[in-house]
PDB file of all heavy atoms in Angstrom:
ATOM      1  N   GLY A 239      23.627 -56.888   5.831  1.00 91.00           N
ATOM      2  CA  GLY A 239      23.046 -57.284   4.546  1.00 91.00           C
ATOM      3  C   GLY A 239      22.003 -56.276   4.122  1.00 91.00           C
ATOM      4  O   GLY A 239      22.290 -55.087   3.990  1.00 91.00           O
ATOM      5  N   VAL A 240      20.778 -56.738   3.934  1.00 94.00           N
ATOM      6  CA  VAL A 240      19.664 -55.846   3.602  1.00 94.00           C
ATOM      7  C   VAL A 240      18.564 -55.975   4.654  1.00 94.00           C
ATOM      8  O   VAL A 240      17.403 -55.664   4.384  1.00 94.00           O
ATOM      9  CB  VAL A 240      19.105 -56.161   2.196  1.00 94.00           C
ATOM     10  CG1 VAL A 240      20.139 -55.882   1.128  1.00 94.00           C
ATOM     11  CG2 VAL A 240      18.621 -57.617   2.107  1.00 94.00           C
ATOM     12  N   SER A 241      18.923 -56.416   5.860  1.00 95.00           N
ATOM     13  CA  SER A 241      17.923 -56.741   6.877  1.00 95.00           C
ATOM     14  C   SER A 241      17.188 -55.518   7.399  1.00 95.00           C
ATOM     15  O   SER A 241      16.084 -55.656   7.950  1.00 95.00           O
ATOM     16  CB  SER A 241      18.585 -57.475   8.044  1.00 95.00           C
ATOM     17  OG  SER A 241      19.582 -56.676   8.639  1.00 95.00           O
ATOM     18  N   THR A 242      17.741 -54.305   7.259  1.00 95.00           N
ATOM     19  CA  THR A 242      17.037 -53.106   7.719  1.00 95.00           C
ATOM     20  C   THR A 242      16.761 -52.140   6.566  1.00 95.00           C
ATOM     21  O   THR A 242      16.560 -50.951   6.784  1.00 95.00           O
ATOM     22  CB  THR A 242      17.844 -52.382   8.814  1.00 95.00           C
ATOM     23  OG1 THR A 242      19.157 -52.061   8.319  1.00 95.00           O
ATOM     24  CG2 THR A 242      17.990 -53.239  10.056  1.00 95.00           C
ATOM     25  N   TYR A 243      16.756 -52.659   5.347  1.00 96.00           N
ATOM     26  CA  TYR A 243      16.381 -51.823   4.203  1.00 96.00           C
ATOM     27  C   TYR A 243      14.895 -51.440   4.303  1.00 96.00           C
ATOM     28  O   TYR A 243      14.052 -52.260   4.667  1.00 96.00           O
ATOM     29  CB  TYR A 243      16.599 -52.584   2.890  1.00 96.00           C
ATOM     30  CG  TYR A 243      17.915 -52.310   2.217  1.00 96.00           C
ATOM     31  CD1 TYR A 243      19.097 -52.427   2.924  1.00 96.00           C
ATOM     32  CD2 TYR A 243      17.988 -51.950   0.877  1.00 96.00           C
ATOM     33  CE1 TYR A 243      20.316 -52.200   2.315  1.00 96.00           C
ATOM     34  CE2 TYR A 243      19.200 -51.716   0.257  1.00 96.00           C
ATOM     35  CZ  TYR A 243      20.365 -51.842   0.974  1.00 96.00           C
ATOM     36  OH  TYR A 243      21.568 -51.596   0.371  1.00 96.00           O
ATOM     37  N   VAL A 244      14.596 -50.182   3.971  1.00 95.00           N
ATOM     38  CA  VAL A 244      13.230 -49.718   3.769  1.00 95.00           C
ATOM     39  C   VAL A 244      13.166 -49.102   2.377  1.00 95.00           C
ATOM     40  O   VAL A 244      14.190 -48.923   1.716  1.00 95.00           O
ATOM     41  CB  VAL A 244      12.805 -48.705   4.847  1.00 95.00           C
ATOM     42  CG1 VAL A 244      12.636 -49.374   6.200  1.00 95.00           C
ATOM     43  CG2 VAL A 244      13.803 -47.556   4.936  1.00 95.00           C
ATOM     44  N   LEU A 245      11.958 -48.764   1.915  1.00 94.00           N
ATOM     45  CA  LEU A 245      11.802 -48.302   0.539  1.00 94.00           C
ATOM     46  C   LEU A 245      12.629 -47.051   0.259  1.00 94.00           C
ATOM     47  O   LEU A 245      13.246 -46.934  -0.804  1.00 94.00           O
ATOM     48  CB  LEU A 245      10.327 -48.034   0.249  1.00 94.00           C
ATOM     49  CG  LEU A 245       9.434 -49.266   0.112  1.00 94.00           C
ATOM     50  CD1 LEU A 245       7.984 -48.852  -0.108  1.00 94.00           C
ATOM     51  CD2 LEU A 245       9.912 -50.157  -1.021  1.00 94.00           C
ATOM     52  N   ALA A 246      12.643 -46.104   1.188  1.00 94.00           N
ATOM     53  CA  ALA A 246      13.385 -44.869   0.959  1.00 94.00           C
ATOM     54  C   ALA A 246      14.885 -45.136   0.846  1.00 94.00           C
ATOM     55  O   ALA A 246      15.577 -44.542   0.010  1.00 94.00           O
ATOM     56  CB  ALA A 246      13.109 -43.875   2.084  1.00 94.00           C
ATOM     57  N   LEU A 247      15.405 -46.032   1.670  1.00 95.00           N
ATOM     58  CA  LEU A 247      16.827 -46.364   1.609  1.00 95.00           C
ATOM     59  C   LEU A 247      17.157 -47.122   0.331  1.00 95.00           C
ATOM     60  O   LEU A 247      18.200 -46.869  -0.296  1.00 95.00           O
ATOM     61  CB  LEU A 247      17.213 -47.198   2.833  1.00 95.00           C
ATOM     62  CG  LEU A 247      18.686 -47.592   2.963  1.00 95.00           C
ATOM     63  CD1 LEU A 247      19.574 -46.363   2.984  1.00 95.00           C
ATOM     64  CD2 LEU A 247      18.903 -48.436   4.221  1.00 95.00           C
ATOM     65  N   LEU A 248      16.287 -48.028  -0.085  1.00 95.00           N
ATOM     66  CA  LEU A 248      16.503 -48.755  -1.334  1.00 95.00           C
ATOM     67  C   LEU A 248      16.499 -47.788  -2.515  1.00 95.00           C
ATOM     68  O   LEU A 248      17.338 -47.898  -3.421  1.00 95.00           O
ATOM     69  CB  LEU A 248      15.414 -49.809  -1.517  1.00 95.00           C
ATOM     70  CG  LEU A 248      15.439 -50.592  -2.837  1.00 95.00           C
ATOM     71  CD1 LEU A 248      16.718 -51.400  -2.963  1.00 95.00           C
ATOM     72  CD2 LEU A 248      14.215 -51.497  -2.946  1.00 95.00           C
ATOM     73  N   MET A 249      15.568 -46.854  -2.517  1.00 94.00           N
ATOM     74  CA  MET A 249      15.511 -45.861  -3.586  1.00 94.00           C
ATOM     75  C   MET A 249      16.803 -45.045  -3.643  1.00 94.00           C
ATOM     76  O   MET A 249      17.371 -44.820  -4.717  1.00 94.00           O
ATOM     77  CB  MET A 249      14.314 -44.939  -3.361  1.00 94.00           C
ATOM     78  CG  MET A 249      14.149 -43.807  -4.359  1.00 94.00           C
ATOM     79  SD  MET A 249      14.995 -42.279  -3.846  1.00 94.00           S
ATOM     80  CE  MET A 249      14.077 -41.870  -2.361  1.00 94.00           C
ATOM     81  N   TYR A 250      17.291 -44.617  -2.500  1.00 93.00           N
ATOM     82  CA  TYR A 250      18.521 -43.826  -2.450  1.00 93.00           C
ATOM     83  C   TYR A 250      19.713 -44.612  -2.983  1.00 93.00           C
ATOM     84  O   TYR A 250      20.515 -44.105  -3.772  1.00 93.00           O
ATOM     85  CB  TYR A 250      18.777 -43.392  -1.006  1.00 93.00           C
ATOM     86  CG  TYR A 250      20.095 -42.708  -0.782  1.00 93.00           C
ATOM     87  CD1 TYR A 250      20.295 -41.382  -1.151  1.00 93.00           C
ATOM     88  CD2 TYR A 250      21.161 -43.401  -0.206  1.00 93.00           C
ATOM     89  CE1 TYR A 250      21.518 -40.761  -0.941  1.00 93.00           C
ATOM     90  CE2 TYR A 250      22.380 -42.790  -0.002  1.00 93.00           C
ATOM     91  CZ  TYR A 250      22.559 -41.470  -0.361  1.00 93.00           C
ATOM     92  OH  TYR A 250      23.775 -40.858  -0.164  1.00 93.00           O
ATOM     93  N   ARG A 251      19.835 -45.873  -2.588  1.00 94.00           N
ATOM     94  CA  ARG A 251      20.984 -46.674  -3.015  1.00 94.00           C
ATOM     95  C   ARG A 251      20.927 -46.989  -4.506  1.00 94.00           C
ATOM     96  O   ARG A 251      21.946 -46.935  -5.195  1.00 94.00           O
ATOM     97  CB  ARG A 251      21.046 -47.965  -2.204  1.00 94.00           C
ATOM     98  CG  ARG A 251      21.530 -47.744  -0.776  1.00 94.00           C
ATOM     99  CD  ARG A 251      22.007 -49.044  -0.156  1.00 94.00           C
ATOM    100  NE  ARG A 251      22.806 -48.770   1.032  1.00 94.00           N
ATOM    101  CZ  ARG A 251      24.101 -48.522   1.032  1.00 94.00           C
ATOM    102  NH1 ARG A 251      24.747 -48.507  -0.123  1.00 94.00           N
ATOM    103  NH2 ARG A 251      24.756 -48.286   2.141  1.00 94.00           N
ATOM    104  N   ARG A 252      19.751 -47.336  -5.008  1.00 92.00           N
ATOM    105  CA  ARG A 252      19.640 -47.642  -6.432  1.00 92.00           C
ATOM    106  C   ARG A 252      19.915 -46.407  -7.277  1.00 92.00           C
ATOM    107  O   ARG A 252      20.557 -46.494  -8.337  1.00 92.00           O
ATOM    108  CB  ARG A 252      18.246 -48.197  -6.744  1.00 92.00           C
ATOM    109  CG  ARG A 252      17.951 -49.568  -6.139  1.00 92.00           C
ATOM    110  CD  ARG A 252      18.824 -50.642  -6.771  1.00 92.00           C
ATOM    111  NE  ARG A 252      18.457 -51.977  -6.289  1.00 92.00           N
ATOM    112  CZ  ARG A 252      19.051 -52.604  -5.299  1.00 92.00           C
ATOM    113  NH1 ARG A 252      20.064 -52.030  -4.667  1.00 92.00           N
ATOM    114  NH2 ARG A 252      18.656 -53.826  -4.939  1.00 92.00           N
ATOM    115  N   ALA A 253      19.455 -45.248  -6.834  1.00 90.00           N
ATOM    116  CA  ALA A 253      19.604 -44.039  -7.645  1.00 90.00           C
ATOM    117  C   ALA A 253      21.002 -43.451  -7.552  1.00 90.00           C
ATOM    118  O   ALA A 253      21.615 -43.126  -8.578  1.00 90.00           O
ATOM    119  CB  ALA A 253      18.560 -42.998  -7.226  1.00 90.00           C
ATOM    120  N   PHE A 254      21.550 -43.326  -6.343  1.00 89.00           N
ATOM    121  CA  PHE A 254      22.763 -42.546  -6.168  1.00 89.00           C
ATOM    122  C   PHE A 254      24.017 -43.387  -5.959  1.00 89.00           C
ATOM    123  O   PHE A 254      25.126 -42.883  -6.143  1.00 89.00           O
ATOM    124  CB  PHE A 254      22.591 -41.565  -5.004  1.00 89.00           C
ATOM    125  CG  PHE A 254      21.491 -40.570  -5.221  1.00 89.00           C
ATOM    126  CD1 PHE A 254      20.277 -40.715  -4.584  1.00 89.00           C
ATOM    127  CD2 PHE A 254      21.655 -39.509  -6.095  1.00 89.00           C
ATOM    128  CE1 PHE A 254      19.253 -39.807  -4.790  1.00 89.00           C
ATOM    129  CE2 PHE A 254      20.646 -38.598  -6.316  1.00 89.00           C
ATOM    130  CZ  PHE A 254      19.434 -38.756  -5.662  1.00 89.00           C
ATOM    131  N   PHE A 255      23.877 -44.647  -5.575  1.00 89.00           N
ATOM    132  CA  PHE A 255      25.037 -45.514  -5.467  1.00 89.00           C
ATOM    133  C   PHE A 255      25.256 -46.291  -6.761  1.00 89.00           C
ATOM    134  O   PHE A 255      26.386 -46.464  -7.202  1.00 89.00           O
ATOM    135  CB  PHE A 255      24.882 -46.486  -4.288  1.00 89.00           C
ATOM    136  CG  PHE A 255      25.301 -45.906  -2.970  1.00 89.00           C
ATOM    137  CD1 PHE A 255      24.624 -44.834  -2.418  1.00 89.00           C
ATOM    138  CD2 PHE A 255      26.379 -46.427  -2.277  1.00 89.00           C
ATOM    139  CE1 PHE A 255      25.009 -44.291  -1.208  1.00 89.00           C
ATOM    140  CE2 PHE A 255      26.772 -45.891  -1.061  1.00 89.00           C
ATOM    141  CZ  PHE A 255      26.088 -44.815  -0.515  1.00 89.00           C
ATOM    142  N   GLU A 256      24.156 -46.768  -7.349  1.00 88.00           N
ATOM    143  CA  GLU A 256      24.253 -47.551  -8.585  1.00 88.00           C
ATOM    144  C   GLU A 256      23.939 -46.717  -9.821  1.00 88.00           C
ATOM    145  O   GLU A 256      23.974 -47.240 -10.929  1.00 88.00           O
ATOM    146  CB  GLU A 256      23.301 -48.747  -8.505  1.00 88.00           C
ATOM    147  CG  GLU A 256      23.585 -49.658  -7.327  1.00 88.00           C
ATOM    148  CD  GLU A 256      22.566 -50.784  -7.210  1.00 88.00           C
ATOM    149  OE1 GLU A 256      21.780 -50.971  -8.162  1.00 88.00           O
ATOM    150  OE2 GLU A 256      22.565 -51.477  -6.175  1.00 88.00           O
ATOM    151  N   THR A 257      23.641 -45.436  -9.633  1.00 86.00           N
ATOM    152  CA  THR A 257      23.285 -44.479 -10.711  1.00 86.00           C
ATOM    153  C   THR A 257      22.220 -45.045 -11.647  1.00 86.00           C
ATOM    154  O   THR A 257      22.239 -44.793 -12.847  1.00 86.00           O
ATOM    155  CB  THR A 257      24.537 -44.061 -11.525  1.00 86.00           C
ATOM    156  OG1 THR A 257      25.110 -45.206 -12.168  1.00 86.00           O
ATOM    157  CG2 THR A 257      25.554 -43.381 -10.656  1.00 86.00           C
ATOM    158  N   ASP A 258      21.293 -45.796 -11.088  1.00 89.00           N
ATOM    159  CA  ASP A 258      20.137 -46.271 -11.856  1.00 89.00           C
ATOM    160  C   ASP A 258      18.972 -45.339 -11.525  1.00 89.00           C
ATOM    161  O   ASP A 258      18.038 -45.692 -10.801  1.00 89.00           O
ATOM    162  CB  ASP A 258      19.820 -47.722 -11.474  1.00 89.00           C
ATOM    163  CG  ASP A 258      18.820 -48.356 -12.439  1.00 89.00           C
ATOM    164  OD1 ASP A 258      18.267 -47.619 -13.277  1.00 89.00           O
ATOM    165  OD2 ASP A 258      18.588 -49.567 -12.340  1.00 89.00           O
ATOM    166  N   PHE A 259      19.029 -44.137 -12.101  1.00 90.00           N
ATOM    167  CA  PHE A 259      18.069 -43.103 -11.747  1.00 90.00           C
ATOM    168  C   PHE A 259      16.634 -43.441 -12.145  1.00 90.00           C
ATOM    169  O   PHE A 259      15.704 -43.153 -11.380  1.00 90.00           O
ATOM    170  CB  PHE A 259      18.496 -41.760 -12.346  1.00 90.00           C
ATOM    171  CG  PHE A 259      19.771 -41.234 -11.763  1.00 90.00           C
ATOM    172  CD1 PHE A 259      20.944 -41.243 -12.493  1.00 90.00           C
ATOM    173  CD2 PHE A 259      19.806 -40.750 -10.466  1.00 90.00           C
ATOM    174  CE1 PHE A 259      22.128 -40.767 -11.940  1.00 90.00           C
ATOM    175  CE2 PHE A 259      20.979 -40.271  -9.901  1.00 90.00           C
ATOM    176  CZ  PHE A 259      22.148 -40.290 -10.643  1.00 90.00           C
ATOM    177  N   PRO A 260      16.372 -44.039 -13.301  1.00 91.00           N
ATOM    178  CA  PRO A 260      14.985 -44.398 -13.622  1.00 91.00           C
ATOM    179  C   PRO A 260      14.373 -45.382 -12.621  1.00 91.00           C
ATOM    180  O   PRO A 260      13.210 -45.243 -12.235  1.00 91.00           O
ATOM    181  CB  PRO A 260      15.095 -45.002 -15.025  1.00 91.00           C
ATOM    182  CG  PRO A 260      16.293 -44.359 -15.618  1.00 91.00           C
ATOM    183  CD  PRO A 260      17.254 -44.232 -14.473  1.00 91.00           C
ATOM    184  N   TYR A 261      15.155 -46.363 -12.211  1.00 93.00           N
ATOM    185  CA  TYR A 261      14.636 -47.325 -11.228  1.00 93.00           C
ATOM    186  C   TYR A 261      14.422 -46.645  -9.877  1.00 93.00           C
ATOM    187  O   TYR A 261      13.433 -46.891  -9.187  1.00 93.00           O
ATOM    188  CB  TYR A 261      15.593 -48.508 -11.101  1.00 93.00           C
ATOM    189  CG  TYR A 261      15.106 -49.588 -10.167  1.00 93.00           C
ATOM    190  CD1 TYR A 261      13.768 -49.963 -10.141  1.00 93.00           C
ATOM    191  CD2 TYR A 261      15.987 -50.248  -9.311  1.00 93.00           C
ATOM    192  CE1 TYR A 261      13.325 -50.960  -9.295  1.00 93.00           C
ATOM    193  CE2 TYR A 261      15.543 -51.245  -8.462  1.00 93.00           C
ATOM    194  CZ  TYR A 261      14.211 -51.598  -8.449  1.00 93.00           C
ATOM    195  OH  TYR A 261      13.756 -52.584  -7.603  1.00 93.00           O
TER     196      TYR A 261
END
Side-chain angles (χ1 to χ4, degrees):
V240 295
S241 60
T242 57
Y243 264 52
V244 290
L245 288 177
L247 182 58
L248 176 63
M249 177 269 296
Y250 173 77
R251 286 199 164 274
R252 293 293 186 264
F254 298 103
F255 276 64
E256 301 176 11
T257 62
D258 192 351
F259 294 107
Y261 183 40

